[in-house]
Amino acid sequence: MANDPIHQFHISKIIPIEVGGLDFSFTNSSLFMVATVAAASGFLFLTTSNRGMVPSRLQSVSEMCYEFVASMLRDGAGSAGMRFFPMVFSLFMFVLVANLLGMFPYFFTVTSHIIVTFALAMLVIGTVVVYGFMKHGLGFLHLFVPSGVPGVLLPLVVAIEVISFLSRPISLSVRLFANMLAGHITLKVFAGFVTSLSALGALGIGGAILPLIMTVALTGLEFLVSFLQAYVFAVLTCMYLNDALHPSH
Amino acid sequence: MLVTAAHAATEQAAEHAAEGNFPPFDSSTFASQLLWLAITFGLFYLFMSRVVLPRIGSILETRRDRIAQDLNEAERLKEEADQAFAAYEQELADAKSKAHDIAQAARDAAKADADEERAKVEADVTGKLEKAEAEIANVKKKALAEVDAIAADTTAAIVSQLIGGTVTKAKLNAAVKVAAEGRE
């Protein structure tokens, strides 16, 4: 069981709760969601509590996160997009901290479950659709009708635009989920090689060096992926929000 | 060996998937995950938008304002320093020209004094010279006038010694006069 690379994604109930036939148990996944929120909030809150004119190191980390997301959003969606700043910032920090927490051994990775990433992606797309229609009314549908396309091609182009819009929440959620899932499985598999090979005696221990190096390298890579996927998620969120703000291409 | 181990691992994974309890696709956990995600992310969002982001935003804004203010202050001080320097230069130039004027005036006054003194001294000297010359001429004239009387006396004495007689004063004077005229 310890060698099972899927075991780490298993959800176990900590406090069973059932309401109306639905299982709302507080699980290890819930625990790590709470841990993610607590870690991110605690860090951001405590490091900025001094409100230093000259920031301490940790305060400048918080400020860097703020300015990083702010400039990402401003570049992606213009200054009008700053109204979505709390949402984009929360998404970025939540995904980033959840990914990074998942890198600790024996920790559960919240973002390795598609339902979580899909819910976050639907939050983004839902915001885009609701805000788009609220702001532009039916003019939001211009999003699917690029200007300057010859009439003959228009049905085809519109069909493509609609499909690409509908596939956004799927691609957004599957990208994050699959990266985290595959990364953790790969790490576990290579780490499993080390234990199973070294059980084979002297020759096996020699042979285990290679997967050990691989595991170390992959751990580094996974930290990069953790950050990168949070960044990609946030950047795509900014681009989709830009569509809601400026639907005509 | 590596390959067999990898194979075993993937087989195990495949087995799980085949059993239908591959955890990420186990829909019985969805409700719980969605609920807790909504609770935790909702709270996180509220905390970020109400507390943390306004705080960091205000920190950054305060710093930006402070920097802008300091830059303005520096600009103002630089301008002041420039003005002070210009004023100093102006004053220095004024002082220099004033000093030059004073020196020129002093030089002129000294020269005028010296000229006056010299003129006075020269006039004095000339006066004295003229007086001395007049005195000399006077003395000379007096001396010359006495020469005739002395000559007459001397002649009377010589005549009395040589010939033992006396000559009248009138005759002597006439003879001296003749002799003086001949000499001249």
Side-chain angles (χ1 to χ4, degrees):
Chain A
M1 201 55 176
N3 245 344
D4 176 6
I6 302 301
H7 178 66
Q8 58 180 319
F9 304 114
H10 193 76
I11 288 182
S12 53
K13 294 176 192 176
I14 296 174
I15 306 168
I17 303 169
E18 200 173 314
V19 179
L22 281 170
D23 180 17
F24 289 126
S25 304
F26 189 82
T27 61
N28 55 345
S29 168
S30 320
L31 177 66
F32 277 94
M33 286 178 193
V34 172
T36 298
V37 168
S41 306
F43 180 83
L44 291 168
F45 184 75
L46 293 177
T47 55
T48 55
S49 58
N50 277 339
R51 295 164 176 269
M53 181 62 73
V54 178
S56 62
R57 285 184 200 183
L58 291 177
Q59 187 186 328
S60 67
V61 172
S62 291
E63 288 174 7
M64 252 156 64
C65 293
Y66 181 100
E67 295 198 313
F68 179 68
V69 178
S71 69
M72 187 199 304
L73 183 56
R74 206 174 289 118
D75 293 346
S79 50
M82 289 313 280
R83 68 177 63 223
F84 297 114
F85 180 58
M87 189 184 85
V88 178
F89 186 81
S90 305
L91 279 171
F92 175 73
M93 288 309 289
F94 186 84
V95 173
L96 178 68
V97 175
N99 289 352
L100 289 176
L101 273 183
M103 287 306 296
F104 285 92
Y106 299 106
F107 276 28
F108 182 83
T109 314
V110 175
T111 46
S112 67
H113 275 251
I114 183 134
I115 189 68
V116 172
T117 61
F118 188 72
L120 294 176
M122 281 314 289
L123 173 69
V124 172
I125 300 299
T127 308
V128 168
V129 172
V130 170
Y131 184 78
F133 277 116
M134 245 171 58
K135 178 102 186 287
H136 304 284
L138 288 180
F140 180 60
L141 294 176
H142 273 298
L143 181 63
F144 305 114
V145 190
S147 52
V149 175
V152 188
L153 283 175
L154 206 55
L156 187 65
V157 171
V158 167
I160 291 173
E161 290 282 342
V162 169
I163 291 169
S164 90
F165 186 83
L166 291 179
S167 65
R168 278 176 182 181
I170 298 166
S171 69
L172 193 58
S173 55
V174 168
R175 183 181 300 110
L176 176 58
F177 151 72
N179 265 288
M180 299 321 293
L181 184 81
H184 282 80
I185 290 178
T186 319
L187 257 183
K188 188 83 181 183
V189 167
F190 274 96
F193 287 163
V194 179
T195 53
S196 52
L197 279 174
S198 49
L200 296 177
L203 195 68
I205 290 175
I209 290 174
L210 201 64
L212 181 63
I213 294 170
M214 200 65 188
T215 309
V216 172
L218 276 174
T219 306
L221 179 71
E222 279 309 303
F223 273 109
L224 176 68
V225 168
S226 295
F227 168 75
L228 208 63
Q229 286 306 316
Y231 173 67
V232 167
F233 197 95
V235 163
L236 287 173
T237 300
C238 294
M239 285 174 57
Y240 299 159
L241 288 172
N242 187 38
D243 284 344
L245 293 159
H246 319 103
S248 42
H249 286 242
Chain B
M1 260 185 287
L2 263 175
V3 179
T4 50
H7 194 67
T10 42
E11 232 170 37
Q12 235 167 354
E15 209 175 291
H16 266 287
E19 279 169 19
N21 66 350
F22 179 58
F25 296 144
D26 180 1
S27 59
S28 70
T29 65
F30 284 4
S32 151
Q33 292 199 63
L34 285 176
L35 174 72
W36 288 102
L37 177 67
I39 293 172
T40 52
F41 189 77
L43 288 176
F44 186 59
Y45 176 82
L46 282 180
F47 188 64
M48 288 298 111
S49 62
R50 294 281 156 81
V51 180
V52 169
L53 294 178
R55 180 191 279 186
I56 300 180
S58 84
I59 290 172
L60 294 177
E61 192 152 327
T62 312
R63 184 175 309 145
R64 221 182 342 256
D65 286 355
R66 176 66 185 276
I67 288 170
Q69 194 186 320
D70 283 0
L71 282 178
N72 280 344
E73 180 75 6
E75 184 79 11
R76 196 180 62 75
L77 287 178
K78 187 183 175 300
E79 219 152 83
E80 249 171 40
D82 283 352
Q83 275 173 5
F85 186 67
Y88 159 77
E89 289 220 311
Q90 180 63 41
E91 237 158 69
L92 189 67
D94 283 356
K96 268 184 181 166
S97 75
K98 211 167 167 187
H100 187 256
D101 286 354
I102 290 172
Q104 188 66 45
R107 210 178 298 132
D108 287 352
K111 201 173 168 211
D113 272 1
D115 284 352
E116 200 181 333
E117 194 77 12
R118 195 170 59 217
K120 214 159 131 191
V121 169
E122 269 176 3
D124 204 16
V125 167
T126 313
K128 274 183 182 163
L129 210 59
E130 273 169 4
K131 214 168 159 189
E133 270 171 2
E135 208 151 316
I136 288 167
N138 206 16
V139 167
K140 203 174 165 187
K141 207 167 154 191
K142 230 173 177 175
L144 283 175
E146 273 170 20
V147 164
D148 285 355
I150 291 168
D153 283 352
T154 310
T155 311
I158 290 167
V159 168
S160 69
Q161 287 284 325
L162 288 178
I163 53 173
T166 49
V167 188
T168 59
K169 210 144 185 147
K171 274 187 176 172
L172 273 176
N173 279 346
V176 167
K177 209 169 180 176
V178 170
E181 269 162 18
R183 188 184 58 206
E184 276 164 15

